[in-house]
Amino acid sequence: MRKILVIGAGKSASYLIKYLLDKSEKEDLLIIVGDVNFSHAKKLINNHENAQAIMLDVFDKSSRQSAIQNCDIVISMLPARFHIEVARDCIAFNKNMVTASYISEEMQKLDKAATEKGLIFMNEIGVDPGIDHMSAMQVIDRIREKGGNIILFESFTGGLVAPESDNNLWHYKFTWNPRNVVVAGQGGAAKFLQEGTYKYIPYNRLFRRTEFLDVEGYGRFEAYANRDSLKYQSAYGLDHAKTLYRGTMRRVGFSRAWNMFVQLGMTDDEYTIDDSENMSYRDFVNAFLPYSPTDSVELKFRHALKIDQDDIVWDKLMELDIFSNKKMVELKKATPAQILQKILMDSWTLAEDDKDMIVMYHKFGYELNGEKHQIDSTMVTLGEDQTYTAMAKTVGLPVAIATLAILNEKITTPGVQMPITKEVYEPILKELEEYDITFKETEVPYLGYNQLNL
């Protein structure tokens, strides 16, 4: 049997493993799932006859290398920073490798060695990055084949709660790593291109510069800019595009309320708070407000951020119970961001019967035969339950499909890469349609931007 090693049995691995197990008999596969938590791995294979769970600690060199030597291809579902150890072993033992994570500098440095050995190191093949690359390049290549010239590309993705589980004032729950949500946008100004002009949004203004997006059947969303919208400019062949913008989608009103935490400094992850383990949530909030012998914490908060008593933002804050003097932080030497994350997890953790939702929205502006056109493309996928989530589906299925395509030599171009070539995106997008991951395209008037207001 052909052996596929999956390292990491976390939240995003459920659909991936199910897909491979469903294909295992026909494709003659043995799926080996390794995780530091053996029970996680065992649960996901569900006693399948073509699967095996193993205890695998990525920091245990001998067991890691033994597992990699004993397979035909490796899927790393580890946190991004740990892929490199696996990748070096794959080079040493001549194994192809697939990950859903961004290509790191260390990974890119392995390109020459991988290419020389004829090895495929497929990265960025989850949802974002992943499905966004493939769906965008499919349309971009199609426009170019007609003789069109891309002048605008905007791309947005959101991991959100499904409409039937949307029952809080923020219209948001954690569907992925909560830490990534709390520290989103930090580490430098957002950078993008609008009508040929470079634009920058510093972190303290990021959540007040949003744009609205309407998705048929799902209503209105807002989007704030990703940190570097120009990261894929050359890879996509868009060096001459006038507008390039990538963003994150939320429900309308989220960003304005989130900005309150940003303005107070509660999302800061650069320093620790003394005696944090003995703080109540109320103490934590008060730590960012001026002293007053008479005013309450609530009054100081409203005054500092100019929140009127009938403002919906105030209701959103109250819903989180951040002024509780009974709930305790209980985290030693914690950063503000870590404490805020704990507070939010009380309210934003998905309930057992909650479902999540992935929303993606692309805009393509192009010139053809002297006329300007625009295509808007949207995709919405809903989760089934807490195991088979929309996030796990849209991350795991592209990884699994790509792995099988590499194993079956349908994808053959070697090197460290992401899925932006027809060889990769065409068969994967076609198969994803079978799982209801489809894009709806609409031709709309090209509006561009007002040249007088750049």
Side-chain angles (χ1 to χ4, degrees):
M1 297 179 85
R2 301 183 297 171
K3 297 175 183 174
I4 298 176
L5 173 64
V6 181
I7 306 178
K11 281 184 175 181
S12 57
S14 58
Y15 260 104
L16 157 69
I17 292 167
K18 183 179 186 303
Y19 174 93
L20 294 174
L21 291 176
D22 289 347
K23 299 277 185 182
S24 61
E25 192 169 335
K26 183 186 173 189
E27 295 283 351
D28 192 30
L29 304 174
L30 175 65
I31 317 304
I32 304 165
V33 182
D35 195 278
V36 70
N37 187 325
F38 179 72
S39 63
H40 278 183
K42 203 163 176 13
K43 181 186 174 189
L44 286 181
I45 65 169
N46 197 24
N47 296 317
H48 198 287
E49 61 182 359
N50 294 333
Q52 176 188 345
I54 61 172
M55 163 74 184
L56 201 161
D57 182 350
V58 73
F59 299 113
D60 181 345
K61 186 177 178 182
S62 62
S63 69
R64 184 187 74 228
Q65 292 188 339
S66 172
I68 290 171
Q69 279 180 281
N70 183 43
C71 74
D72 294 290
I73 189 168
V74 178
I75 299 172
S76 178
M77 299 301 284
L78 295 164
R81 62 189 181 279
F82 302 140
H83 292 320
I84 192 63
E85 299 301 328
V86 176
R88 289 182 183 128
D89 288 344
C90 286
I91 293 284
F93 303 122
N94 294 311
K95 307 294 181 183
N96 294 317
M97 178 178 172
V98 182
T99 87
S101 301
Y102 288 106
I103 298 173
S104 65
E105 283 184 31
E106 296 100 324
M107 185 71 79
Q108 188 60 50
K109 285 175 184 172
L110 297 178
D111 179 56
K112 187 169 183 284
T115 304
E116 285 173 353
K117 289 195 165 198
L119 297 175
I120 299 166
F121 278 20
M122 183 65 67
N123 300 266
E124 304 195 16
I125 188 133
V127 57
D128 177 5
I131 292 175
D132 58 342
H133 290 327
M134 295 187 286
S135 55
M137 286 309 300
Q138 186 177 52
V139 177
I140 289 169
D141 284 345
R142 196 172 75 227
I143 290 168
R144 285 186 180 134
E145 283 163 12
K146 290 196 302 184
N149 176 38
I150 305 289
I151 52 177
L152 174 147
F153 175 64
E154 297 189 11
S155 178
F156 311 90
T157 307
L160 298 154
V161 65
E164 62 263 45
S165 304
D166 184 348
N167 55 11
N168 68 39
L169 292 173
W170 292 75
H171 306 294
Y172 186 80
K173 293 181 185 179
F174 291 127
T175 61
W176 203 235
N177 188 340
R179 176 175 166 77
N180 291 348
V181 177
V182 174
V183 300
Q186 298 183 42
K191 176 185 178 184
F192 55 100
L193 196 57
Q194 252 176 357
E195 292 294 335
T197 303
Y198 288 105
K199 295 287 188 179
Y200 301 87
I201 308 176
Y203 177 61
N204 69 312
R205 295 294 304 152
L206 185 63
F207 296 96
R208 297 310 297 129
R209 291 266 295 275
T210 57
E211 73 170 81
F212 293 128
L213 301 163
D214 290 295
V215 178
E216 187 180 342
Y218 294 91
R220 178 162 274 207
F221 298 83
E222 65 185 18
Y224 62 84
N226 287 357
R227 204 161 64 215
D228 185 3
S229 289
L230 308 185
K231 184 176 181 181
Y232 299 108
Q233 185 172 13
S234 293
Y236 283 19
L238 298 176
D239 289 325
H240 301 293
K242 291 181 177 178
T243 297
L244 280 176
Y245 183 96
R246 290 168 60 89
T248 298
M249 294 173 73
R250 294 286 181 258
R251 284 294 187 182
V252 174
F254 177 93
S255 297
R256 178 170 164 253
W258 183 261
N259 193 52
M260 301 294 164
F261 297 138
V262 174
Q263 296 308 311
L264 278 186
M266 289 182 174
T267 60
D268 200 315
D269 203 40
E270 296 295 312
Y271 66 93
T272 57
I273 289 184
D274 294 318
D275 201 35
S276 56
E277 68 269 30
N278 295 315
M279 276 184 159
S280 67
Y281 290 3
R282 188 179 188 84
D283 293 333
F284 170 64
V285 173
N286 196 31
F288 296 93
L289 300 169
Y291 171 78
S292 169
T294 55
D295 293 348
S296 68
V297 177
E298 289 88 345
L299 195 60
K300 290 191 294 182
F301 195 108
R302 284 225 299 252
H303 180 72
L305 294 168
K306 299 179 174 60
I307 305 172
D308 293 329
Q309 62 186 24
D310 58 352
D311 193 328
I312 186 66
V313 166
W314 185 249
D315 295 330
K316 290 179 181 180
L317 295 166
M318 294 299 288
E319 185 181 68
L320 298 174
D321 212 9
I322 63 172
F323 300 109
S324 172
N325 57 11
K326 293 186 173 64
K327 292 182 178 177
M328 304 301 290
V329 170
E330 296 174 341
L331 299 173
K332 284 189 176 181
K333 286 284 181 187
T335 66
Q338 288 169 335
I339 297 171
L340 179 60
Q341 178 182 325
K342 182 178 189 292
I343 292 170
L344 296 174
M345 285 176 75
D346 289 351
S347 301
W348 291 356
T349 298
L350 290 170
E352 199 173 324
D353 58 349
D354 278 344
K355 297 177 182 178
D356 69 329
M357 171 173 75
I358 296 289
V359 187
M360 195 173 286
Y361 197 123
H362 299 311
K363 297 181 182 183
F364 307 90
Y366 64 100
E367 286 179 321
L368 179 64
N369 300 326
E371 292 185 6
K372 291 179 179 176
H373 307 264
Q374 185 169 317
I375 296 170
D376 283 11
S377 177
T378 60
M379 183 274 290
V380 178
T381 300
L382 301 174
E384 294 171 31
D385 53 39
Q386 282 302 287
T387 301
Y388 296 102
T389 62
M391 187 69 81
K393 184 178 187 177
T394 51
V395 171
L397 283 179
V399 169
I401 295 167
T403 300
L404 203 51
I406 292 167
L407 206 54
N408 290 334
E409 297 183 1
K410 290 178 179 173
I411 295 173
T412 57
T413 305
V416 173
Q417 59 190 283
M418 55 186 177
I420 57 172
T421 61
K422 275 190 183 182
E423 174 192 44
V424 179
Y425 70 66
E426 278 195 338
I428 294 176
L429 288 175
K430 191 171 183 0
E431 190 167 347
L432 285 175
E433 289 180 5
E434 296 173 24
Y435 296 88
D436 293 322
I437 299 174
T438 58
F439 283 80
K440 181 180 180 181
E441 292 184 16
T442 313
E443 297 241 357
V444 299
Y446 177 81
L447 298 176
Y449 291 88
N450 187 334
Q451 292 287 334
L452 299 176
N453 294 312
L454 294 179

